[in-house]
Amino acid sequence: MGKGGRIVCIFTPYVLTIASLICIVMVGLGCTKSSSSTLDNLYFFRINLQNITNGTSSTTAKITSAISDLAGVSDGDLSAALEEIEEQYNIQDFYTVGLWGYCSGNITNGNDYKTTNCSKPEAEFWFNPLEVWNLEESGLENALSSSVKKELKVYKSVSKWMFIAYIIAFIATIVELVVGVFAICSRWGSCVTTLVSAVAFLFTTAASVTSTALFAVLKGVFKAELASYGVKGHMGKNIYVATWLAVAFSLGASLFWLLSTCCCSGRSPYNHRNTARAVTAEKAPYTYEPLGPYGQPQQPAYTNTAYPPPPPPGHVPMQQQNGRTNAYEPFRHV
């Protein structure tokens, strides 16, 4: 198979690698632009504060009771603090968490989520409710229970590892595309590309597993600790589809790169012809060759299969001794 066949052979893993890279990029672009409805729907986790911002009596009463026990403030002080947070700090109805930042917005009467603002992209981002909701400035940082604070610390540490894993997966996938060009030339190029694709697949899978498990646990924390206070949280959908599609495409690319190391050689069959050459043996001096039964050199093949073969024309038979033909095979000097 020549160069053309080699190009066709690596076309499939190359396309799968590009597809995996596109999915990883989509994960990174989630929650980065408020004016794009497509990017707004790419989020790991959404926090719904609509019941708090609407100021329903039952929710406010529960929050008042909980914070009074934890922070030791009176009902009057808490009501003033809640009004100050809503009016001065502009608490939104919902917050969505992405890889590089978060977005916030309001929920319309038709129950539509309208994003109004997105934070600036930040490396190793994690959503800090104390900072985003200005709980520290309002003096309500003690409103969160110790178990919630503990889970937030775990979330902070794991989210940093998740961010690093996505970055390594992104870089490894780009390197895989660059090195994959050299796979056209030889199987050694495919071998190197296979190793790079294995690294890309490993970190893409690790990042996807980490993000899915992390926010699944965070969802349970919100349901157990904060749902009774009107704070709800649920996981996104589109971003998880994108990240797991990246894993599937990366796995397929790795398998096809591996196959290209043992199949689809780039060498042309016309450059390696096995031309049959006639081998001539030179006779050494003082050698002997066997003679046939009639004193003639033996021929390699006969057209007549009868045995013994008929004597050549004009041949005189050998003399018999004692009525028998000589038992030895005669030789002649050549």
Side-chain angles (χ1 to χ4, degrees), residues 41-315:
N41 289 325
L42 291 170
Y43 59 88
F44 289 113
F45 197 73
R46 173 182 282 170
I47 304 171
N48 191 333
L49 302 177
Q50 185 181 18
N51 292 334
I52 294 180
T53 55
N54 286 343
T56 58
S57 58
S58 60
T59 302
T60 303
K62 292 180 181 179
I63 296 175
T64 301
S65 176
I67 296 181
S68 297
D69 295 338
L70 293 173
V73 296
S74 63
D75 293 344
D77 295 336
L78 177 62
S79 299
L82 289 176
E83 292 179 1
E84 182 179 358
I85 291 175
E86 292 180 12
E87 296 177 1
Q88 182 175 352
Y89 297 108
N90 191 23
I91 299 297
Q92 302 293 316
D93 291 345
F94 70 91
Y95 293 82
T96 54
V97 181
L99 183 64
W100 291 86
Y102 71 92
C103 292
S104 60
N106 297 315
I107 302 176
T108 62
N109 294 330
N111 202 27
D112 294 329
Y113 291 84
K114 184 178 180 180
T115 303
T116 58
N117 180 52
C118 289
S119 63
K120 294 182 179 180
E122 179 183 349
E124 299 182 359
F125 168 79
W126 71 287
F127 185 82
N128 185 1
L130 296 177
E131 179 182 349
V132 176
W133 297 340
N134 299 288
L135 295 179
E136 294 179 348
E137 296 183 14
S138 61
L140 299 177
E141 64 274 7
N142 293 328
L144 298 178
S145 63
S146 59
S147 60
V148 174
K149 291 181 179 179
K150 182 179 179 180
E151 295 295 338
L152 285 177
K153 290 181 179 179
V154 175
Y155 159 63
K156 178 181 179 181
S157 301
V158 178
S159 63
K160 290 184 177 181
W161 148 250
M162 180 188 71
F163 179 86
I164 295 174
Y166 272 114
I167 294 299
I168 295 177
F170 174 75
I171 296 175
T173 306
I174 293 180
V175 175
E176 180 181 349
L177 288 176
V178 175
V179 178
V181 176
F182 298 95
I184 302 176
C185 303
S186 66
R187 295 179 182 178
W188 283 107
S190 294
C191 183
V192 176
T193 308
T194 301
L195 296 177
V196 177
S197 66
V199 175
F201 168 69
L202 176 64
F203 280 94
T204 303
T205 304
S208 300
V209 171
T210 302
S211 61
T212 304
L214 173 63
F215 290 102
V217 172
L218 196 62
K219 177 183 177 181
V221 173
F222 269 74
K223 183 177 181 180
E225 301 289 341
L226 302 177
S228 59
Y229 304 132
V231 181
K232 299 179 181 180
H234 66 274
M235 300 172 63
K237 178 181 178 181
N238 297 336
I239 198 169
Y240 292 104
V241 172
T243 188
W244 284 107
L245 280 178
V247 173
F249 288 139
S250 182
L251 175 61
S254 299
L255 294 178
F256 278 102
W257 284 124
L258 180 61
L259 289 176
S260 67
T261 61
C262 56
C263 304
C264 306
S265 174
R267 296 180 179 180
S268 175
Y270 301 102
N271 296 332
H272 301 275
R273 293 180 177 177
N274 295 324
T275 57
R277 298 181 179 179
V279 179
T280 57
E282 183 179 356
K283 294 181 180 180
Y286 305 105
T287 57
Y288 296 87
E289 65 179 3
L291 299 177
Y294 302 103
Q296 297 294 329
Q298 291 184 352
Q299 301 297 327
Y302 300 98
T303 57
N304 189 349
T305 58
Y307 185 83
H315 175 72

